Amino acid sequence: MIDDVVLHRLLALLLHSLESEGLRLGTDRHLRLQRLLTPGAGNRTLMQWRSRLTPLLATSPREQERVYAIFDHCAVEIEQSIEAPPDKMNMPEAATLPEDEFKKKEDEEQEPDLSNLNSKAETLPARFPLVAELERSTKPPLSWSFRVGEEVSVDLDGDLSAALARLRQREQGEGSRLDIPTTIRSTIKMGGLPVFRYRTPTRPTEYLLLVDHHSLHDHRARAFDNLYRILRAKEVLVERFFYDGDLRLCRNETWPAGISLEELRYRYHSARLVAVGSGYRLLDPATGKLANWARILRGWPRRVLLTPVSRYVWGQWETQLNELFTLLPAAVPSLQFLADAAGSESFDADYAALPQAVRAAAEVEPLDLRAPFVPRLREHFDRDMLAWIAACAVYPALHYGLTLRLGILASPPEHSLVTTSRLLALSRISWFVQGRIPPEARRELVEYLERRHPDLRRKVLPELRNLFEQLAPPPPGSAARAEY
């Protein structure tokens, strides 16, 4: 049985995970859900709540399967966060240990010996995968944002580099200006009769990139941040902000405390707006239509939304968003389409008129993240990508820099896996957006790594060990220390 506190924690995690997966609840389902939360409602098991909540959250067999998978993931997270009561029968009494011996034992527990990690790892039986379990703590710092040494560069795919350079094309400015040299020549030809000639000036095309940042280790957000830095290096006039679901407050290095959407409209009124995210927070939960505050977005005449939601599950929410944005998939073909449209007056295009590559990227079937995980991932990723994902499962948390380092280790000799398209494909997995792989998925992936890619496993373990030895540990007792 779970109590009311655990139930509310479960629902908070579940609703956030559903929204990040593209499943948004309407007002009616919110009200029905609220009626279930009566005092004492938590006196049920997790599996009973699984069967009780799914009919409220899903409206089709496909959605039901997705809700089951997301609920199971959240249930594991909640179960791990509940501290099990200590077994007093197996605990030695404090009086049986002398003070100096107790002090020595305490020091040994705080500073584990990692010197024999490689030798111990090689002697472990094959049926016991080497997986570090992440404990729970609530003291700050909450995350160990370690540096992984020299930053790994992300390669651009094929002609994407040339396509991004086309974003520098100039566009027509507003109004017309008198072309004095042409006017003088025309007047001379007409024997002194004034003939006025005008021209439309051009200006560099500006872009405003707004990226949804779900978590500290959101790989999709970091991939678009890397693209932003590449564009700046190519002298493209682009500015980038992050937001957490709600576009009304955006942040970047210049505005760490946040800047309002109204202020962005004032400062970047002539820019082309490119937003990355599902865009569901733009909708009014009471009506399902665009919220009143979202009208300010119409002040940008050219607007694009790069959505991670597959067209397979597009519904009424996307229909509403399509009235405000041109919807494109968050993939490399969309970037090439935007580059081809640089300098034109609008990004608007009907879905049927989009290039075939863009429509193919939008129509990729959603990932089914249920056990067994490896066969389901194999339906979407090739052997090298699957090995990269399995290598990322060895460490309990997903850090962007570490993912890039492991991608280099997993790359075959003929090419690098660390490319823009593969990073965006990797971010289709919700784990790489939330920054954590579920324990049951990690166990299966590490077993796959040991069985199918033993050479890569032998590279990953020393890489992690050497990395940790070069870093200062976080403060004792913190959540980051538990990760360390």
Side-chain angles (χ1 to χ4, degrees):
M1 298 293 180
I2 60 174
D3 56 23
D4 292 341
V5 175
V6 175
L7 174 60
H8 282 79
R9 290 170 56 193
L10 171 66
L11 290 176
L13 180 61
L14 177 62
L15 294 179
H16 177 76
S17 301
L18 288 172
E19 182 172 329
S20 64
E21 286 288 318
L23 294 174
R24 191 174 187 273
L25 305 184
T27 305
D28 56 336
R29 286 192 279 180
H30 272 291
L31 294 175
R32 293 168 61 191
L33 183 61
Q34 187 175 2
R35 283 196 290 267
L36 293 178
L37 302 181
T38 57
N43 293 326
R44 293 183 175 87
T45 64
L46 285 173
M47 296 308 297
Q48 287 174 334
W49 274 110
R50 183 178 188 261
S51 301
R52 189 176 178 87
L53 291 175
T54 301
L56 297 180
L57 304 177
T59 58
S60 66
R62 179 186 290 273
E63 282 191 3
Q64 177 178 313
E65 295 299 326
R66 295 177 66 196
V67 170
Y68 277 155
I70 296 172
F71 185 95
D72 293 342
H73 178 199
C74 297
V76 172
E77 294 282 334
I78 293 298
E79 288 177 341
Q80 287 185 341
S81 66
I82 303 174
E83 296 183 357
D87 187 359
K88 295 183 178 180
M89 298 299 295
N90 297 327
M91 291 181 61
E93 296 182 1
T96 61
L97 292 177
E99 184 177 354
D100 56 347
E101 185 176 347
F102 185 82
K103 176 69 175 175
K104 178 179 179 182
K105 183 176 181 61
E106 186 181 32
D107 294 340
E108 290 175 352
E109 290 177 352
Q110 290 182 355
E111 298 294 339
D113 182 14
L114 302 179
S115 59
N116 297 324
L117 178 61
N118 284 343
S119 60
K120 291 180 181 178
E122 296 301 329
T123 59
L124 287 177
R127 64 180 180 276
F128 296 121
L130 185 62
V131 179
E133 295 297 340
L134 185 60
E135 298 178 357
R136 294 289 180 174
S137 180
T138 58
K139 295 182 180 179
L142 300 180
S143 179
W144 187 27
S145 299
F146 57 80
R147 297 183 178 274
V148 293
E150 185 177 354
E151 186 175 354
V152 177
S153 61
V154 180
D155 297 335
L156 293 177
D157 303 82
D159 57 350
L160 180 59
S161 179
L164 294 180
R166 292 199 298 273
L167 293 172
R168 292 198 305 261
Q169 293 184 27
R170 300 176 68 88
E171 63 179 358
Q172 290 186 349
E174 298 177 357
S176 300
R177 295 181 181 178
L178 180 65
D179 189 343
I180 296 179
T182 306
T183 297
I184 293 175
R185 289 194 296 268
S186 300
T187 301
I188 293 174
K189 289 182 180 179
M190 295 299 295
L193 181 65
V195 178
F196 297 100
R197 302 295 184 187
Y198 297 88
R199 63 182 177 85
T200 302
T202 61
R203 64 186 178 192
T205 305
E206 301 178 49
Y207 299 89
L208 177 60
L209 180 63
L210 305 181
V211 182
D212 196 356
H213 201 291
H214 281 278
S215 66
L216 182 63
H217 305 299
D218 188 337
H219 286 45
R220 182 188 300 122
R222 295 294 300 273
F224 276 97
D225 180 58
N226 180 73
L227 281 171
Y228 156 74
R229 299 180 187 280
I230 293 175
L231 291 176
R232 292 296 294 261
K234 292 181 176 293
E235 300 181 352
V236 177
L237 293 182
V238 58
E239 189 54 83
R240 179 264 295 127
F241 289 85
F242 296 108
Y243 67 97
D244 185 7
D246 196 331
L247 273 167
R248 285 174 287 186
L249 187 65
C250 302
R251 295 180 175 88
N252 66 2
E253 298 82 355
T254 307
W255 300 85
I259 181 174
S260 67
L261 199 57
E262 291 81 2
E263 185 69 16
L264 284 178
R265 176 70 186 93
Y266 173 76
R267 291 176 177 271
Y268 305 99
H269 61 90
S270 61
R272 301 185 175 203
L273 179 61
V274 180
V276 181
S278 65
Y280 290 158
R281 294 284 186 89
L282 294 168
L283 303 174
D284 188 338
T287 63
K289 297 183 179 180
L290 290 171
N292 291 332
W293 63 265
R295 295 175 182 175
I296 191 174
L297 294 172
R298 299 188 184 277
W300 282 282
R302 294 168 287 270
R303 304 173 300 274
V304 172
L305 179 64
L306 301 180
T307 174
V309 181
S310 171
R311 186 172 171 81
Y312 269 88
V313 295
W314 282 14
Q316 59 177 335
W317 315 117
E318 282 71 25
T319 301
Q320 294 294 327
L321 291 171
N322 201 26
E323 296 180 1
L324 186 62
F325 293 98
T326 297
L327 295 185
L328 299 175
V332 167
S334 298
L335 301 176
Q336 295 174 329
F337 170 76
L338 295 180
D340 293 336
S344 62
E345 295 184 0
S346 176
F347 282 159
D348 294 340
D350 293 334
Y351 182 80
L354 293 174
Q356 174 61 31
V358 177
R359 285 185 280 119
E363 295 170 3
V364 172
E365 189 171 351
L367 284 158
D368 186 1
L369 298 178
R370 295 179 300 160
F373 299 95
V374 171
R376 297 182 189 278
L377 290 173
R378 190 180 285 118
E379 296 175 1
H380 298 266
F381 301 99
D382 58 26
R383 183 176 184 274
D384 293 334
M385 284 288 292
L386 191 55
W388 186 9
I389 298 170
C392 293
V394 174
Y395 187 68
L398 293 171
H399 292 264
Y400 180 74
L402 182 58
T403 298
L404 300 187
R405 290 280 289 270
L406 296 177
I408 294 297
L409 293 180
S411 297
E414 57 271 15
H415 63 85
S416 173
L417 291 177
V418 186
T419 64
T420 301
S421 63
R422 287 188 171 90
L423 274 176
L424 293 179
L426 206 63
S427 67
R428 291 178 51 220
I429 307 176
S430 60
W431 307 333
F432 288 87
V433 176
Q434 299 166 359
R436 182 174 173 82
I437 301 178
E440 66 276 13
R442 287 184 56 224
R443 284 190 288 270
E444 183 178 333
L445 287 168
V446 172
E447 290 174 359
Y448 167 80
L449 182 69
E450 295 176 346
R451 185 175 66 255
R452 294 298 181 92
H453 301 277
D455 294 338
L456 177 58
R457 172 184 174 273
R458 283 192 288 268
K459 295 178 183 178
V460 170
L461 297 182
E463 179 76 12
L464 293 175
R465 179 177 182 271
N466 294 335
L467 175 63
F468 299 153
E469 288 180 342
Q470 298 171 9
L471 300 171
S478 64
R481 179 72 174 201
E483 181 179 334
Y484 169 78

